[in-house]
């Protein structure tokens, strides 16, 4: 009596196709994860990530933090605000609208003033970080503003003046630098669309490497005088690696005095 051979199960063409597609997707991801696990981040001698270098975002966030269509003075953009909408209080929203209408003359940027925090980070000009064990110094090309982030465990001063860049105190959570920034004045804007704040502004920054040449930057913003709740922005920062790249002086507020300085000999 002949034994009957059992038919072996066979994949359908659809099943085989799905299996192949899954393999194509999974294998590169596994390779990327393995590669990422082996990447060595720049570090200081104390083991903390070293953010030293010249950085710049490719985001167009400075035109408008919220999603927006094109206009004569700005390209369209998806925005960088989590949830897309800045939660203004009703009265503050009216002021923001007035700022927008007067943006060509009232934006502090047009006067060459310090950009503030966090605007200086996503403004479309480079900035440089010099990092040591107990602090980071952030030097912006625009106006050459300098902000020091203290990472030595010190606290904010109790009775300070209000500052253009606030007072920055940082600590580490694993490889993420958390920076608490307080004690601002009210003279800076967040962007060219008139988004603004009061002197009650409080910013919490999070700096984290995605790879040795890419930083993920997030900032949580709160100001009870202007916003109904805290809100968050997020951008990617890229390291400049061009040969001989450097910051270039951009003191725009001095341009109006170029004819007077340096003093010229008396023509009489």
């Amino acid at each position: 009596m002949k034994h009957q051979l059992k038919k072996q199960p066979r994949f359908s063409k659809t099943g085989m196709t799905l299996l192949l597609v899954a393999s194509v997707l999974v294998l590169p991801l596994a390779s990327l994860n393995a590669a990422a696990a082996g990447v060595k981040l720049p570090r200081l001698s104390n083991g903390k990530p070293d953010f030293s270098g010249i950085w710049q975002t490719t985001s167009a966030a400075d035109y408008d933090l919220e999603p927006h269509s094109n206009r004569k003075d700005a390209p369209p953009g998806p925005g960088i605000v989590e949830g897309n909408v800045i939660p203004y209080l009703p009265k503050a929203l009216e002021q923001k609208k007035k700022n927008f209408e007067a943006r060509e003359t009232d934006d502090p940027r047009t006067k060459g003033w310090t950009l503030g925090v966090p605007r200086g980070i996503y403004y479309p000009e480079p900035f440089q970080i010099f990092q040591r064990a107990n602090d980071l110094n952030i030097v912006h090309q625009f106006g050459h503003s300098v902000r020091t982030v203290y990472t030595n465990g010190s606290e904010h001063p109790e009775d300070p003046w209000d500052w253009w860049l606030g007072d920055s105190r940082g600590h580490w959570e694993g490889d993420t630098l958390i920076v608490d920034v307080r004690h601002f004045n009210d003279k800076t804007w967040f962007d060219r669309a008139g988004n603004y704040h009061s002197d009650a502004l409080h910013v919490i920054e999070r700096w984290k490497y995605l790879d040795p040449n890419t930083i993920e930057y997030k900032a949580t913003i709160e100001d009870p005088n202007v916003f109904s709740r805290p809100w968050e922005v997020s951008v990617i920062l890229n390291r400049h690696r061009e040969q001989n790249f450097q910051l270039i002086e951009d003191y725009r507020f001095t341009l109006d005095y170029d004819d007077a300085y340096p003093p010229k000999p008396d023509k009489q």
Side-chain angles (χ1 to χ4, degrees):
M1 190 174 186
K2 294 183 178 179
H3 294 286
Q4 292 184 345
L5 297 176
K6 292 184 179 180
K7 293 183 177 180
Q8 297 298 319
R10 299 174 62 188
F11 288 109
S12 66
K13 290 183 177 179
T14 302
M16 184 61 75
T17 301
L18 291 175
L19 181 60
L20 290 172
V21 170
S23 299
V24 169
L25 292 175
V26 171
L27 288 176
L29 289 176
S31 299
L32 285 174
N33 290 334
V39 168
K40 292 185 178 180
L41 300 178
R43 294 183 184 275
L44 298 174
S45 59
N46 62 7
K48 299 302 182 184
D50 183 3
F51 296 116
S52 297
I54 302 179
W55 302 90
Q56 187 170 357
T57 182
T58 57
S59 167
D62 187 67
Y63 288 105
D64 196 333
L65 293 181
E66 296 178 301
H68 58 280
S69 61
N70 62 319
R71 57 179 192 255
K72 289 185 176 181
D73 63 343
I80 62 169
V81 177
E82 182 179 353
N84 294 330
V85 178
I86 297 175
Y88 276 100
L89 295 169
K91 186 176 180 179
L93 181 58
E94 292 304 311
Q95 180 60 50
K96 187 269 177 182
K97 293 177 180 177
K98 293 178 182 178
N99 291 347
F100 180 82
E101 294 302 321
R103 63 190 182 280
E104 292 185 3
T105 56
D106 289 4
D107 182 357
R109 168 190 61 88
T110 63
K111 303 174 177 63
W113 294 357
T114 296
L115 294 168
V117 179
R119 187 179 185 181
I121 303 302
Y122 51 75
Y123 188 77
E125 285 193 24
F127 62 90
Q128 188 164 3
I129 296 177
F130 299 91
Q131 185 174 341
R132 301 182 296 184
N134 292 321
D135 59 35
L136 295 83
N137 287 284
I138 304 174
V139 181
H140 297 272
Q141 177 168 283
F142 188 99
H144 275 226
S145 302
V146 180
R147 173 163 69 115
T148 299
V149 178
Y150 297 96
T151 56
N152 58 359
S154 58
E155 301 291 336
H156 295 287
E158 293 183 2
D159 187 21
W161 295 94
D162 290 340
W163 296 309
W164 288 83
L165 293 168
D167 179 73
S168 299
R169 307 285 161 164
H171 70 276
W172 295 93
E173 293 184 3
D175 284 345
T176 301
L177 177 62
I178 312 296
V179 183
D180 188 276
V181 196
R182 301 172 182 266
H183 304 324
F184 290 94
N185 64 29
D186 61 356
K187 301 184 185 301
T188 64
W189 284 6
F190 292 122
D191 58 20
R192 307 182 195 195
N195 288 302
Y196 77 108
H197 61 85
S198 74
D199 60 2
L201 175 65
H202 175 211
V203 179
I204 298 177
E205 301 175 301
R206 292 172 176 81
W207 299 73
K208 180 177 71 174
Y209 268 119
L210 297 180
D211 62 51
N213 297 305
T214 313
I215 293 175
E216 178 185 63
Y217 173 87
K218 291 186 176 183
T220 300
I221 297 163
E222 61 178 345
D223 184 338
N225 296 339
V226 180
F227 311 115
S228 61
R229 59 173 174 80
W231 49 283
E232 186 175 283
V233 297
S234 177
V235 295
I236 299 298
L237 305 174
N238 302 292
R239 184 192 299 275
H240 276 285
R241 290 179 285 169
E242 304 93 322
Q243 186 176 8
N244 298 324
F245 190 89
Q246 58 187 297
L247 301 188
I248 301 173
E249 290 186 357
D250 189 1
Y251 294 109
R252 300 186 189 186
F253 61 87
T254 66
L255 295 177
D256 293 338
Y257 304 98
D258 279 357
D259 290 340
Y261 291 92
K264 298 175 176 57
D266 190 351
K267 296 182 179 180
Q268 294 183 351

